[in-house]
Amino acid sequence: MSNLHVMVVGDVMLDNYWWGNVDRISPEAPVPIVSLDRRESRLGGAANVAINCRALGATVTLASVVGDDAEGDSLIRMAEDAGIETDLIMKSFRRPTTTKVRILSRNQQMMRLDDETTDDLYTEEEHPFIDMVLRYLQRVKPQVLIFEDYNKGVLKENVIKRITDHCNEIGIITAVDPKKKNFLSYKNVTLFKPNLKEVREGLNMPLENTGLNELNAVHNKLNEVLDHKITFITLSEKGVFYNDGHTSGIIPSHIRDIADVSGAGDTVIATAAMVYALTKNVHLMAEVSNLAGGLVCEDVGVVSIKKDKLLKESELVLCK
């Protein structure tokens, strides 16, 4: 994995955690009073995908748009401290940096405060961003590009198409973690990784049964529109499904002490894209990323995968 160069393109965010204790109810309103004792900031969204790739050993470049604000400065500084290349992060005076504040007591989330816009990039931001990314791809040629879409406006349809087309021209693997708005815009990508909820919303189908036959039908329906190579669907507690047009399967999840599922999808797409780039083995890709997603759910908040822990778990489960 240390030989890979991964580029992550998409919506970045700053995840802030305010930890405290609740001892009484406010006399002003029937709400708990949280006495804060520590605060912590973590990289979220596409930045969390990038930090997962970095944690697995890859060289990582992050391309996104943040606000021209203190939160944007903080996000860039944290990414640089994590060893992520940030030269392709643009600043915009038209939008704030997406920031989420989670207030917790005894590992229980009490409230979340979001500061963000979901407006698409303006044309005068979109074209410079595309040009910057395409020039970098042409010059550096990373092995993998991951689209991380949180419907915050960076990944407009034209941005997706121009970058995907260029990656296909020069032989770069493309992987996608989609959301509803652009769900069917990721045409001709290598790896398409929605979760079950996103499939239901994106295809407007109930999909009450999630057996192999039903999920294979989903792959075929997606492929008719996207003409992509691999469908990889996370099924929450039921595991993961994969289909590359030749082989398919469902890999069940492993028993875990689940503390928090936040950011698990980021870990899965990072791991899946890297394992596939190295091995071209779809089954192995699904097995290892399934393990990675489960491992990060054992911690509270958005955390990145630990490489040594994933290796140990993979040896324990896959080498029996």
Side-chain angles (χ1 to χ4, degrees):
M1 287 183 168
S2 299
N3 295 326
L4 285 177
H5 186 168
V6 180
M7 186 174 187
V8 181
V9 184
D11 303 302
V12 296
M13 57 190 72
L14 193 63
D15 286 315
N16 293 326
Y17 295 86
W18 295 0
W19 305 81
N21 295 302
V22 176
D23 297 317
R24 59 195 178 102
I25 301 299
S26 172
E28 303 165 1
V31 295
I33 296 175
V34 182
S35 299
L36 298 176
D37 54 29
R38 68 184 174 99
R39 304 186 185 199
E40 183 180 355
S41 294
R42 300 176 188 172
L43 296 171
N48 187 44
V49 175
I51 204 169
N52 272 278
C53 293
R54 186 74 191 108
L56 291 171
T59 299
V60 184
T61 301
L62 181 58
S64 189
V65 180
V66 298
D68 190 6
D69 48 31
E71 289 77 15
D73 292 339
S74 179
L75 189 150
I76 291 172
R77 184 172 59 252
M78 289 171 61
E80 290 173 345
D81 290 345
I84 296 166
E85 297 179 7
T86 61
D87 292 346
L88 301 186
I89 297 181
M90 284 177 49
K91 287 190 173 183
S92 170
F93 67 89
R94 298 178 181 272
R95 60 178 57 231
T97 301
T98 299
T99 306
K100 300 183 185 299
V101 178
R102 295 172 175 89
I103 302 173
L104 303 101
S105 176
R106 297 186 178 92
N107 288 342
Q108 177 70 42
Q109 187 174 144
M110 311 293 294
M111 180 181 291
R112 195 178 90 177
L113 310 174
D114 291 3
D115 182 13
E116 64 184 19
T117 179
T118 58
D119 295 339
D120 284 343
L121 293 179
Y122 287 87
T123 303
E124 54 266 39
E125 299 168 325
E126 172 190 347
H127 292 300
F129 181 73
I130 292 172
D131 292 343
M132 176 181 67
V133 171
L134 296 190
R135 285 196 302 269
Y136 186 89
L137 290 172
Q138 187 64 42
R139 187 176 76 252
V140 179
K141 293 183 175 64
Q143 290 96 328
V144 186
L145 184 142
I146 300 174
F147 289 108
E148 182 61 28
D149 196 341
Y150 272 88
N151 283 352
K152 306 304 180 190
V154 172
L155 292 173
K156 296 175 66 175
E157 187 170 354
N158 187 48
V159 173
I160 295 165
K161 184 180 187 307
R162 292 280 305 280
I163 294 174
T164 301
D165 287 349
H166 196 66
C167 285
N168 288 334
E169 287 174 10
I170 60 179
I172 296 173
I173 290 169
T174 48
V176 182
D177 196 355
K179 287 292 183 288
K180 182 179 180 180
K181 183 178 178 181
N182 297 312
F183 192 79
L184 297 177
S185 298
Y186 292 98
K187 294 177 172 58
N188 303 305
V189 297
T190 311
L191 174 64
F192 189 72
K193 188 217 75 69
N195 61 33
L196 197 55
K197 178 176 180 288
E198 290 157 355
V199 169
R200 287 169 173 154
E201 292 178 347
L203 294 179
N204 194 25
M205 57 190 300
L207 197 61
E208 295 174 359
N209 297 319
T210 54
L212 187 57
N213 290 337
E214 290 79 10
L215 292 171
N216 281 331
V218 168
H219 166 78
N220 293 335
K221 187 169 183 177
L222 283 171
N223 193 250
E224 288 175 4
V225 180
L226 300 179
D227 197 24
H228 64 303
K229 187 171 183 179
I230 302 163
T231 298
F232 183 38
I233 303 174
T234 53
L235 308 172
S236 189
E237 73 280 358
K238 295 181 181 178
V240 297
F241 160 80
Y242 66 92
N243 186 320
D244 66 353
H246 304 288
T247 181
S248 66
I250 295 175
I251 298 173
S253 59
H254 300 271
I255 297 173
R256 303 281 178 198
D257 292 325
I258 301 298
D260 192 340
V261 299
S262 302
D266 299 341
T267 300
V268 171
I269 188 65
T271 309
M274 290 178 63
V275 171
Y276 180 77
L278 287 167
T279 67
K280 304 300 187 293
N281 185 325
V282 181
H283 180 81
L284 182 62
M285 172 204 79
E287 287 272 21
V288 177
S289 55
N290 185 37
L291 291 173
L295 287 172
V296 296
C297 290
E298 295 180 339
D299 296 308
V300 175
V302 176
V303 298
S304 58
I305 189 64
K306 294 177 175 62
K307 188 176 183 178
D308 292 344
K309 191 174 182 179
L310 178 59
L311 176 60
K312 183 178 179 181
E313 187 81 359
S314 296
E315 289 174 337
L316 181 67
V317 174
L318 306 181
C319 299
K320 290 188 292 187

